Amino acid sequence: MKDSMNTSESIQDKKWTDYATMADSSTKTMFTELFGLTSDQPKDSSSSSITSNSALMDKFVERIISMALPTAYTDETYQEQLQERLQNQQSRPPLSVNIMTKNFIQLNSRLSIPFILIDEVVCIINWKRPYYTLSVLLIASLLILKPTLLTVFPMFYILSGIMVPAYLKRHPPEKNQLLESNPIPAYGEPVKDITLPKPVPDLSREFVVNLTDLQNRMLLYVITFDFINSINLEFFYFKDDAVSNFVFLALFALATIVFTSVNIIPLEILSFTAKFTLLVGIWGLMVLLHPENLDQFLALLYSEEYRLKLQTMSNKVETRLKNEFSNRVDSDQNEIREIEIFELQTLDEDTNEWKLLCYCNDPFAINSTRRDNEKSIKGCLSLQSIMPPIGWKFDLQDAPSSSVNPDSSTTSDETDVSRQTNIHGWTLDLSPTGWVHQNYLQGVLSIDDDGKWCYDKKDSLSTLKKLSNCYESTGKEYRRRRWIRTCKRDFVLDSTPST
């Protein structure tokens, strides 16, 4: 007796050891496939050579794909997301035909259950078995009326749908002459082995059926994606400003009402309203999808009379929305901004003359970080070569260009300022005090009202020469003046937006 007990205990311990080993190996395999970790198992020379050749081929294919496919995107958000995904992929295996084939075969051999569920949903929607559809509707209604049952149904399904059939398979009941199936299982030790759902073999009929379902069910995601994209384009992406403005205000008002009415309106009223809406919606939709009603509903929906009536109503609503929520700004009026550029000159100590250094977007004052850190100034040598910012264009109604060219290498103070206030569409700022005070530079710049130049203050420059270690980049004397020009927003309208 003791020997039999010891034997049974040893068998039980061996089973638990096998389960632990299997769980540990499956966990390692999962983490290896998911995170691209390397296995510690030894490999022979032949397998290592095959692996190295496969890795070399994968690298070659990946390099060809990276060279052939473009990587530039106009949208910065999507480009940042793509770069983040590329960084996350560095710790995973690269694109490989062998890995793709192996993973696809393993996935397809385990897709029977999802496709069976999809077929069941299609069967319920199409009323192929009316009593089955009505039963599902009653269960759904019960879940809506009692949402707490959502936590109970999974437990009952595990008990009645998995554990009871599994027990009856291991303890099959004896046949009964009075009943078709005997509900009383057999006593004693189990007489059958455990039967787990296994992956479908590669060369089997069910594997081909799964492959065919995978081919056809791909369109479900494609149709769903296109449908959601079309709704987003019409209502949320401001294809029509009036419609999107109305949707924004409606959603904001609804969210505000719901947020503020939680403590005012009793939860019973909100719960009853939501439950009633769901019940009427589900039952109404299923009644319309019944084969006897579906043909009539589609015939009415696609009839010419109904189409014209619906089009007339939608046109009235759209016209009303455009009148109430459209932008009051004329479409021909573009947004106008003013850009600035600074003409920077430096004093030549040998000739004691001011020479043009460049045109830059920084006044290059003594306290400028660019002046402290950069030995070379980024700019251009002509006003005509300055381009507008991205997404903008210069106003064509600017003042005509003057015959005086300020882009020469030397510029004397005796030059008549009034003759060079408009050059190449740029206008000289005749009130430098404004931009100096606006940028808080009155402590380091001195203003010459006659020539409209702003010079480095002598006391600040002498202090900087004493403290600075790089006299060549920071100790020179500069003067600058401001040129301005108006720009318009450059609209690029796409008549056929992508969906």
Side-chain angles (χ1 to χ4, degrees), residues 400-408 415 418-424:
S401 300
S402 174
S403 59
V404 178
N405 183 15
D407 302 334
S408 58
T415 305
S418 61
R419 295 180 56 200
Q420 48 177 321
T421 55
N422 294 285
I423 299 171
H424 299 311

Side-chain angles (χ1 to χ4, degrees), residues 68 149 161 254 351 365 466 476:
L149 294 178
L254 181 61
T351 60
K466 295 179 181 178
K476 293 183 179 180

Side-chain angles (χ1 to χ4, degrees), residues 448-459:
D448 181 12
D449 293 329
D450 295 334
K452 310 307 176 185
W453 290 98
C454 297
Y455 295 84
D456 295 332
K457 282 191 174 181
K458 298 297 183 180
D459 53 351

Side-chain angles (χ1 to χ4, degrees), residues 6 15 126 137-139 146 169 173 226 256 265 319 341 393 418 449 453 456 472 474:
N6 293 332
K15 287 183 178 179
N126 292 334
L137 284 175
L138 291 176
I139 294 175
K146 294 289 184 179
K169 285 182 180 180
D226 293 342
T256 304
I265 302 176
T319 303
I341 200 75
K393 61 182 179 180
S418 61
D449 293 329
W453 290 98
D456 295 332
E472 294 296 330
T474 59

Side-chain angles (χ1 to χ4, degrees), residues 8 30 38 69 139 154 161 174 250 267 270 319 338 363 385-386 462:
S8 61
M30 181 186 68
T38 58
L69 297 180
I139 294 175
E174 299 292 338
L267 293 178
L270 294 176
T319 303
E338 191 177 76
S385 61
I386 299 175
S462 60

